[in-house]
Amino acid sequence: MMRNSQVGYNCIYNLLHIKFNEDFGRDGKFSYDLQYPSFYAFKNTYFKVNPSILSQLNSTIKANVNDFKEGTLKEEEDIDRKFNIMSCYAVTFNKNYVLSSILTLKGFVENEGLLYNQLNNFNIDLNNGKTIYLRDIFKENVDYITLITNYVNYKISQNRDLYYENYDLYIPEDQAFYITDDGVVIYFELDEIAPKDLGVPKFKMSFERFAPYINPRFFCSPQNINPLNARHFKYYLR
């Protein structure tokens, strides 16, 4: 792979206030500690975003948390054992009108340990509120499906014994992922390609390593980040 850390692209930070929310308590044998974010734009700054975009995102995240809580609460009634659930989150990319955030939802049952380990992603184009897909991460005319498939299969081959045998892995267009400052992380559901004990399988494709194929909008190195001047900032809509 070619390496290229010099990207001719001016990056800016998204000026967003990230509010910490927490819902915790106990109901009989059911206990919960659910943490999740809400996003708001600052007023009177160069960074402009339609409030309805952030409102919709906040509602979606909160719904994810509430659905998990209500669903596991109903299940706890049948288990008749102590059931504890939790959530945590991270904002993994927040530049160039792109927001990528993840929400981890876990459930533990007394004497059984981890029962649920779910990772949800929220990859949003703040220009229009649309979801960002894997195809958007790469330049036009790049066969990103083959590129990702080959890379993930290569990484699996390095630790073949950790994964299920005879699993025919091919990356679909709606493959789960999230964006970080230095790459795109491809991940799979618990027990999908490897035993549950391995956790959520993740594979990072480094922006530096795959630079010739990456849409510059997502490649922000410390050398090309401009936190203040947005007048000359040009962003891609694809």
Side-chain angles (χ1 to χ4, degrees), residues 38-236:
S38 297
F39 299 92
Y40 302 92
F42 290 101
K43 296 181 179 180
N44 302 320
T45 70
Y46 66 77
F47 182 76
K48 306 297 181 184
V49 58
N50 189 326
S52 66
I53 293 175
L54 297 179
S55 178
Q56 179 60 47
L57 174 59
N58 295 338
S59 296
T60 300
I61 293 174
K62 186 174 182 179
N64 274 234
V65 173
N66 288 341
D67 289 348
F68 182 64
K69 178 183 176 182
E70 293 174 5
T72 51
L73 179 57
K74 291 180 180 179
E75 185 172 346
E76 185 270 341
E77 296 173 355
D78 299 326
I79 293 177
D80 194 30
R81 276 174 289 175
K82 290 183 179 179
F83 200 165
N84 173 255
I85 64 170
M86 59 165 289
S87 72
C88 60
Y89 68 90
V91 178
T92 58
F93 191 89
N94 189 30
K95 301 179 183 71
N96 290 357
Y97 288 83
V98 172
L99 178 64
S100 184
S101 181
I102 54 176
L103 176 72
T104 301
L105 302 165
K106 292 185 177 183
F108 302 85
V109 178
E110 183 183 30
N111 299 327
E112 288 188 22
L114 184 65
L115 181 63
Y116 296 112
N117 187 0
Q118 180 179 331
L119 181 60
N120 295 352
N121 66 76
F122 308 91
N123 303 310
I124 305 297
D125 187 332
L126 296 178
N127 291 308
N128 50 34
K130 293 182 179 180
T131 297
I132 291 174
Y133 295 98
L134 267 178
R135 63 175 178 266
D136 302 313
I137 307 297
F138 297 86
K139 294 179 180 177
E140 290 186 7
N141 302 319
V142 170
D143 185 1
Y144 67 94
I145 293 294
T146 299
L147 185 69
I148 299 172
T149 298
N150 290 343
Y151 178 73
V152 172
N153 277 314
Y154 166 71
K155 297 300 291 184
I156 288 176
S157 71
Q158 293 181 314
N159 295 281
R160 182 66 264 182
D161 58 321
L162 296 179
Y163 301 89
Y164 290 136
E165 296 182 3
N166 304 320
Y167 185 90
D168 186 18
L169 189 147
Y170 189 77
I171 300 297
E173 292 185 1
D174 60 351
Q175 175 65 48
F177 74 96
Y178 58 92
I179 310 162
T180 70
D181 287 343
D182 57 355
V184 55
V185 178
I186 309 298
Y187 71 89
F188 298 83
E189 293 183 6
L190 202 67
D191 203 34
E192 181 179 357
I193 67 172
K196 188 175 179 181
D197 292 343
L198 186 64
V200 176
K202 299 179 182 181
F203 305 88
K204 179 183 284 188
M205 297 183 68
S206 164
F207 286 154
E208 182 177 2
R209 182 175 183 182
F210 290 91
Y213 310 106
I214 301 299
N215 181 339
R217 181 182 185 187
F218 302 93
F219 196 162
C220 290
S221 66
Q223 292 76 20
N224 68 347
I225 292 177
N226 183 350
L228 296 177
N229 186 4
R231 288 179 299 176
H232 305 297
F233 173 68
K234 297 178 181 180
Y235 49 83
Y236 294 83

